[in-house]
Amino acid sequence: MDRAEAEAIYDSGREACVQFILGLAESVRLHEDRLRRLEEQARQDSRTSSKPPSTDPPRTRAQRRAEARAKAKELMRRERERRAAGGQPGHPGAGRDLKPEDQVDEIVDHYPDACGGCGRRFDDEQRRPGGRFGRRQVFELPPISVIVSEHRTHQLRCRHCRARTSARLPELLASCPFGSRLQAAVVTLTARHRISRRGICELACDLFGVTVSTGAVDAICQRASDALAGPHCQLQDWVLDQNAVHVDETGWRTRGEGRALWTASTPEATFLQIAEHCNRDQFNALVGPYAGIVVSDRWNGYSHLDPSQRQVCWSHLQRDFRRHADGLAEQKTFGEHGVELTRRVFAAWRAYQHEHHDREQLQAQIAPIQTELRALLEQASPKKARNRWHRQFANNLLKIWPALWTFASVDGVQPTNNPAERALRAPVIHRKVSLGTQSNNGERFAERALSAAATCRQQRRSLFTYLSELITAHTRGDPFPALA
């Protein structure tokens, strides 16, 4: 607008000037709202949103040092003492336990050559084992080489009918040129340690002295996938038979197309499934008519669940309250109060876990927090201009209010969805390293092998031993060993 246009509006009279000023005020308000939303998005990081830590903006060296100094001061303020580097006084050691003698392959006795006092040499008669001696055990790998067995099939001629009959190999040998332990080692390196097909070929040559092609490695993985089909279905039934299950989802890629990786996990087992969609129907197909407690985040795909049969994740609540605490005015006050309440919830839960183990005491500590949070949410829920940035969040929490406190009254339910988050961490790294899968068979192998790897880790079982037993049983047609 130039000066002539402004003067024309002024000459038009008082009403025209008022309308023009109101229009400017409305335009300024819209731009302020847009600017505030953009600033809020720019402030979001892994602590205040669902963004991964890898997307956090880089910080300067001075900022990192300042944060480190602030954390150190806070730590000293809490403990009232300066902490030295390394283990602290009273920290239990983690030394290696000595194996009993029946598990030792070789015992080597060492004797001193001469007296430490006078220097006189000890003779052979004195070099005899005594009742007291020092012990140090050294662990070493033997020279590793693959045992190559050649199985020859011969022909015999019948003396009566003169027909020739050839011997047949046992089914365990005819199905694959590699033994069950070598196949189990290949699958373990793929599923647990995320080694690529080409990397396994090089590793097999370096460690085992056997030449394996990438096609052979993939064929081994497919045979293992067929063997894992039964245990994988049994694992799903077992997980969904528990009183509480942690559910979460993340992205997956197959031939560059979007997929969804779902998990249903408990403290003893993890079930993973790669599906075509990430929606409510897919969730219902995963859990079916589940009668227990579902622990999850607040994604809309879980909104149809009964709040009394659900527990929402308090770690996500804490993250959202932090995001609001970065706002201004009423939003900032709301967020700061919510962060303080979540801190008290976690403090009460830790005290229950590690100190008193009394559920009545836990409920007594949670009761005032419930009252304060309810009042905070109801104050933020009315449709007012000062509540427009956090009103929807407050109303959503009020709708699922019972789902916030299930952990306080039901045994085996945690206030966070951390088990499901941990269950997805290894598959996400596997996806980033392998760039997803390339076929439906690849999806089935990934979900089955990763489920077995996660479950064996939770149960402190050897994945290699389990796969060896499973592949042997599958080849023979025997009942498969269960994962859970």
Side-chain angles (χ1 to χ4, degrees):
M1 176 182 294
D2 55 16
R3 183 177 181 85
E5 293 176 341
E7 290 178 350
I9 296 174
Y10 179 78
D11 294 338
S12 300
R14 181 173 179 271
E15 185 63 26
C17 292
V18 171
Q19 293 297 329
F20 181 73
I21 293 174
L22 290 176
L24 288 178
E26 179 64 19
S27 178
V28 169
R29 187 187 67 81
L30 294 177
H31 284 82
E32 286 180 346
D33 291 348
R34 182 173 181 271
L35 178 61
R36 181 167 180 169
R37 287 194 297 269
L38 293 175
E39 289 178 345
E40 185 177 351
Q41 292 176 5
R43 287 195 302 267
Q44 290 182 3
D45 55 17
S46 59
R47 295 178 70 254
T48 59
S49 68
S50 59
K51 293 182 177 180
S54 59
T55 62
D56 288 347
R59 294 170 296 174
T60 65
R61 185 177 183 183
Q63 289 175 326
R64 292 195 297 269
R65 286 186 172 182
E67 291 182 5
R69 285 195 298 269
K71 289 182 180 180
K73 288 181 180 179
E74 177 66 17
L75 188 62
M76 286 190 292
R77 185 188 65 81
R78 290 181 180 179
E79 300 187 1
R80 300 299 181 186
E81 63 180 8
R82 186 178 298 274
R83 291 168 56 95
Q88 303 304 307
H91 174 71
R96 184 181 300 277
D97 296 332
L98 294 174
K99 299 287 186 181
E101 287 192 5
D102 58 350
Q103 297 182 17
V104 176
D105 299 305
E106 181 185 18
I107 296 178
V108 180
D109 294 314
H110 298 269
Y111 299 96
D113 295 328
C115 175
C118 64
R120 183 171 181 176
R121 297 185 65 82
F122 294 107
D123 55 26
D124 294 339
E125 294 182 358
Q126 292 177 288
R127 298 181 180 182
R128 296 179 180 178
R132 300 177 61 184
F133 48 82
R135 299 178 65 194
R136 179 178 179 83
Q137 295 180 349
V138 179
F139 296 80
E140 176 62 291
L141 283 174
I144 302 175
S145 62
V146 173
I147 299 175
V148 181
S149 301
E150 181 176 313
H151 299 264
R152 300 179 177 180
T153 56
H154 295 276
Q155 281 187 346
L156 296 178
R157 182 189 295 274
C158 179
R159 294 180 178 179
H160 298 281
C161 65
R162 309 300 294 173
R164 289 183 174 274
T165 304
S166 299
R168 293 184 178 181
L169 289 174
E171 188 176 358
L172 185 63
L173 301 175
S175 59
C176 180
F178 305 104
S180 59
R181 288 191 297 274
L182 182 57
Q183 295 183 63
V186 168
V187 178
T188 300
L189 291 173
T190 300
R192 170 64 61 79
H193 304 288
R194 300 182 284 273
I195 307 297
S196 65
R197 302 289 194 268
R198 190 175 301 279
I200 289 177
C201 297
E202 298 174 355
L203 199 59
C205 183
D206 293 340
L207 291 184
F208 309 140
V210 60
T211 302
V212 185
S213 65
T214 55
V217 172
D218 192 69
I220 290 174
C221 292
Q222 291 305 317
R223 278 190 289 270
S225 177
D226 295 339
L228 283 166
H232 190 251
C233 293
Q234 182 266 344
L235 179 65
Q236 181 182 17
D237 296 337
W238 187 90
V239 168
L240 296 180
D241 195 41
Q242 305 307 302
N243 295 329
V245 62
H246 295 259
V247 178
D248 202 1
E249 76 291 329
T250 188
W252 190 266
R253 307 292 291 182
T254 298
R255 294 185 299 272
E257 299 178 358
R259 295 288 190 273
L261 175 64
W262 292 81
T263 181
S265 61
T266 67
E268 295 83 18
T270 294
F271 174 80
L272 297 166
Q273 185 181 73
I274 300 174
E276 187 174 357
H277 302 291
C278 181
N279 51 31
R280 180 182 299 181
D281 294 336
Q282 192 63 54
F283 167 75
N284 292 333
L286 172 66
V287 302
Y290 181 64
I293 304 297
V294 175
V295 186
S296 67
D297 54 25
R298 302 190 316 280
W299 177 54
N300 290 333
Y302 309 127
S303 59
H304 66 289
L305 297 175
D306 185 358
S308 61
Q309 295 296 114
R310 182 183 177 192
Q311 171 64 54
V312 298
C313 179
W314 272 86
S315 292
H316 287 74
L317 286 175
Q318 184 182 50
R319 185 186 69 190
D320 292 335
F321 277 122
R322 283 175 179 167
R323 175 170 57 85
H324 290 294
D326 290 338
L328 301 173
E330 294 289 338
Q331 183 187 15
K332 180 178 179 65
T333 303
F334 171 82
E336 290 176 345
H337 195 175
V339 169
E340 175 60 22
L341 291 177
T342 57
R343 185 196 64 79
R344 290 167 55 187
V345 167
F346 286 128
W349 177 252
R350 285 192 295 268
Y352 167 75
Q353 280 188 307
H354 305 298
E355 297 177 8
H356 54 78
H357 306 288
D358 185 355
R359 187 160 291 277
E360 293 184 358
Q361 184 175 348
L362 171 64
Q363 294 174 351
Q365 293 175 339
I366 291 295
I369 304 175
Q370 289 178 300
T371 303
E372 293 184 38
L373 182 60
R374 184 84 183 192
L376 179 67
L377 297 178
E378 290 178 349
Q379 182 182 2
S381 61
K383 190 174 182 180
K384 299 180 181 178
R386 63 182 184 180
N387 295 339
R388 65 180 181 273
W389 301 108
H390 53 282
R391 180 177 63 246
Q392 183 178 359
F393 173 67
N395 286 322
N396 289 340
L397 293 188
L398 290 174
K399 289 179 182 178
I400 58 171
W401 179 256
L404 301 179
W405 315 105
T406 308
F407 73 94
S409 57
V410 180
D411 290 331
V413 178
Q414 301 181 25
T416 69
N417 200 27
N418 291 345
E421 301 280 352
R422 286 193 293 266
L424 288 177
R425 186 173 300 142
V428 166
I429 298 174
H430 182 93
R431 180 199 68 199
K432 290 181 178 294
V433 173
S434 63
L435 303 179
T437 48
Q438 300 299 321
S439 64
N440 293 334
N441 290 335
E443 289 182 354
R444 303 290 79 78
F445 168 74
E447 64 186 15
R448 294 167 184 174
L450 293 175
S451 297
T455 301
C456 288
R457 182 188 293 274
Q458 290 174 269
Q459 299 174 1
R460 299 182 182 275
R461 298 169 62 183
S462 169
L463 176 63
F464 169 75
T465 302
Y466 172 77
L467 290 174
S468 300
E469 297 172 354
L470 174 66
I471 292 173
T472 301
H474 179 73
T475 304
R476 293 175 177 174
D478 299 337
F480 59 81
L483 274 170

